[in-house]
Amino acid sequence: MHDLRALRADPAGFDAALGRRSLPPAAEGILEVDRERREKLGLVQQAQARRNGLSREIGALRRQEADSSAQEREAVALAEAMEADNRAAADLDARLRGLLESLPNILDADVPDGDESANRILKQWGEPPAFAFAPKQHFELGEALGMMDFAAAAKIAGARFTLLRGPLARLERALGQFMLDLHASEHGYQETIVPLLVNAASCRGTGQLPKFEEDLFKTTDGRYLIPTAEVPLTNTVAGEILAAAALPMRLVAHTECFRSEAGAAGRDTRGYLRQHQFRKVELVSICRPEESDAEHERMTRCAETVLERLGIPYRRVVLAAGDTGFSAAKTFDLEVWLPGPRAWREISSCSNTRAFQARRMNARCRGADGKSLDFVHTLNGSGIAVGRALIAVMENYQQEDGSIVVPEVVRPYMGGIERIACG
C-alpha cells in the first residue's frame, strides 16, 4: 500500500508514477476522501472536547443542586453526532484504504519505461546448445516417452493439468529437492513448510486481493489456495515488530501452487508451461529498508545459481514499467533457452516490493537505536519454478533418440539414473 503522507506531500509526483504504468491520475480523488475523513475526525475530537467540558459543568451544577438539564440534553445530542461522525469517518477510512489498495506499487526510478518490448537484457549466461537434429518440444518428448500424460489429466481434472509418470515424475521431484537443499544449505534460507490454504487477509497483505481475486481458487469457507508460497511466507511477519538483529529474514518453501490463469486465455495451451497446479521453490526475504537493494541482487544470484548448476543457458532481464507486477517496485526475470520453440521463456521472477506489502500487513522493524520504527522491505523470487525447470532440462538435454540425459547435479536425487528413455 502507499504512504499517504508522501502522497499528500507530492500529489503530482504520485500521479506521474502512476502514469509510468499507464494509469490515470488518482491523487486528487484520494486526497479528497482523505480530507473528508480528517474533517469528520476533527468534528469528533471537537465534540469529545465539548462533552468533557459538559461533564465537568454537569458535575459542578449537581454538586450545587442546580438545574443541569440543558447541559445533559446537549451532551446527548453531541453523543449522537459523534456516533454519526465516527461511522462516517470509518466509512471514509474504508473507502480510502480501498482506493490505496487498488493501486500498484511505485516503480523504482531505474525501471525502464514502456511495455514488455522495453524489457532490458542485463546479462546472459551460457550458450544455447547446438543440435545435429531438429530438437523437439517438451510435450513431444514427454508423450513419446509415455511419461507426460495430458489426456489422463484432462479426464481427471480438465484442461491445464498434467500427469507425470515414472522417471520423469522422479526428475521433477529431484529438481525440487536439489533446489531446496541448495537454498537451505548453501544460501542460508530457512526451510519452511507452509499452509497451502490462506485467509483473505493474507492475500490482501501481499497484494493478490482485492485486484486479482479472479486469478485465485477460492474454497467454500472463504479461504484461498496459494498462487505461490510468497503469500504464506511473507505473511509470517504480518502485524509484527521485528528486532533489527533478526533481519534479514530469509525463508524458502517448496510447495504446490494454484492459479486459475484467468488472464491467460489462449496462451501456452499445449504442454506443461502454464498450469492450474504446479510446483515451485519460493524465496522470500524480509529486511531493513537500507538492505533491500543488496538483498534483491543476492536473491537473484541465488536463483541464477540453480540454473548454472543445472547447466541451462539463461539471461537476466529487468522488466519495464508496463510489465512489472502489481506489488513490485522492480523485478528481475530470469529467462531460459528452450530449443524446441527456439525461444527464451521466463523461469524466475525476483521482485523487490520495498515497503508496499509491509504497509498492507503492518510489518515493521526497530531501528539500530532499538526505539525508532520503520516498515520492513519484503522481497520474493522463484528459486525456481520446478515444472519449468523440468521443461528446460528436457529440451536442453534431449538426445536424438528421444531420451533425456539427467544433469549431473540431480543424479544423486535420482538414485544414480543418468538417462531417461523409453522402457
Side-chain angles (χ1 to χ4, degrees):
M1 202 160 68
H2 296 283
D3 184 348
L4 191 54
R5 289 174 300 178
L7 195 161
R8 290 176 192 142
D10 186 15
F14 185 81
D15 283 342
L18 294 180
R20 294 190 66 202
R21 289 185 181 263
S22 301
L23 293 174
E28 183 178 349
I30 292 171
L31 292 177
E32 178 58 31
V33 175
D34 182 44
R35 280 191 291 270
E36 292 181 30
R37 179 184 67 94
R38 294 166 80 184
E39 286 173 6
K40 292 295 182 184
L41 292 173
L43 291 173
V44 170
Q45 290 174 347
Q46 292 173 23
Q48 184 61 58
R50 176 57 183 153
R51 282 190 73 195
N52 291 341
L54 284 169
S55 180
R56 289 191 292 271
E57 290 177 27
I58 292 168
L61 288 168
R62 285 178 176 174
R63 285 192 296 273
Q64 298 167 15
E65 298 183 353
D67 182 15
S68 63
S69 57
Q71 287 83 356
E72 290 171 7
R73 285 193 297 272
E74 184 182 355
V76 170
L78 282 171
E80 292 172 351
M82 285 176 61
E83 185 177 353
D85 286 337
N86 269 321
R87 283 198 304 269
D91 290 343
L92 288 163
D93 189 66
R95 184 177 165 196
L96 179 63
R97 185 174 182 88
L99 289 170
L100 292 171
E101 285 184 344
S102 70
L103 296 172
N105 201 351
I106 301 299
L107 298 167
D108 281 4
D110 61 348
V111 170
D113 288 324
D115 60 17
E116 63 179 322
S117 64
N119 292 349
R120 189 166 65 239
I121 300 169
L122 300 179
K123 74 173 191 179
Q124 179 177 323
W125 183 92
E127 293 296 327
F131 293 95
F133 57 93
K136 296 178 179 178
Q137 297 198 58
H138 69 280
F139 49 84
E140 297 171 307
L141 293 162
E143 288 180 319
L145 288 167
M147 300 177 193
M148 186 173 273
D149 195 333
F150 302 101
K155 179 177 66 175
I156 296 164
R160 296 192 186 276
F161 290 93
T162 306
L163 192 150
L164 298 179
R165 291 190 172 96
L168 204 59
R170 184 170 185 176
L171 179 57
E172 171 148 329
R173 173 163 59 91
L175 287 165
Q177 289 177 308
F178 155 66
M179 296 172 201
L180 192 60
D181 284 351
L182 175 65
H183 295 312
S185 63
E186 293 189 35
H187 295 157
Y189 287 84
Q190 182 182 66
E191 184 175 349
T192 312
I193 294 177
V194 297
L196 300 184
L197 284 168
V198 293
N199 56 32
S202 294
C203 290
R204 194 174 298 275
T206 46
Q208 282 76 26
L209 290 179
K211 189 174 179 62
F212 300 106
E213 184 160 12
E214 67 172 3
D215 292 323
L216 303 174
F217 287 110
K218 188 175 182 179
T219 64
T220 55
D221 64 357
R223 285 178 284 197
Y224 296 85
L225 288 166
I226 63 168
T228 164
E230 170 201 347
V231 180
L233 287 175
T234 308
N235 274 280
T236 58
V237 299
E240 301 290 333
I241 296 176
L242 305 171
L247 300 176
M249 182 184 297
R250 300 183 179 116
L251 308 171
V252 61
H254 179 201
T255 68
E256 300 285 341
C257 304
F258 305 89
R259 295 182 186 172
S260 73
E261 297 289 351
R267 296 177 60 191
D268 302 316
T269 53
R270 288 204 66 187
Y272 199 45
L273 197 64
R274 195 176 294 276
Q275 303 275 286
H276 288 312
Q277 175 186 331
F278 57 96
R279 281 156 291 282
K280 187 148 69 85
V281 172
E282 185 75 2
L283 306 174
V284 162
S285 293
I286 294 100
C287 65
R288 294 189 292 271
E290 64 271 19
E291 298 173 329
S292 68
D293 284 332
E295 192 67 20
H296 193 195
E297 175 62 27
R298 184 187 189 278
M299 174 181 283
T300 307
R301 277 298 303 145
C302 290
E304 289 174 344
T305 300
V306 173
L307 298 172
E308 291 170 11
R309 298 278 180 94
L310 289 172
I312 303 293
Y314 72 87
R315 61 188 191 184
R316 185 196 292 200
V317 177
V318 60
L319 298 190
D323 202 26
T324 301
F326 180 85
S327 295
K330 184 177 182 179
T331 298
F332 294 129
D333 266 10
L334 302 182
E335 300 176 342
V336 291
W337 175 252
L338 298 183
R342 297 191 59 78
W344 295 95
R345 300 305 297 263
E346 180 258 319
I347 197 168
S348 172
S349 285
C350 296
S351 297
N352 188 348
T353 78
R354 302 210 178 273
F356 184 79
Q357 292 178 330
R359 284 196 180 90
R360 296 169 79 104
M361 297 185 303
N362 194 28
R364 295 171 292 170
C365 63
R366 296 198 181 278
D369 59 5
K371 298 178 182 178
S372 60
L373 288 176
D374 205 348
F375 287 105
V376 297
H377 280 196
T378 62
L379 303 94
N380 61 82
S382 308
I384 53 179
V386 182
R388 293 194 175 198
L390 177 67
I391 293 171
V393 167
M394 291 174 68
E395 293 199 11
N396 281 276
Y397 282 87
Q398 65 179 290
Q399 306 299 301
E400 189 169 8
D401 63 359
S403 64
I404 299 162
V405 171
V406 176
E408 287 189 18
V409 74
V410 294
R411 289 177 189 175
Y413 300 91
M414 292 286 291
I417 294 173
E418 298 182 1
R419 183 187 297 258
I420 297 173
C422 291

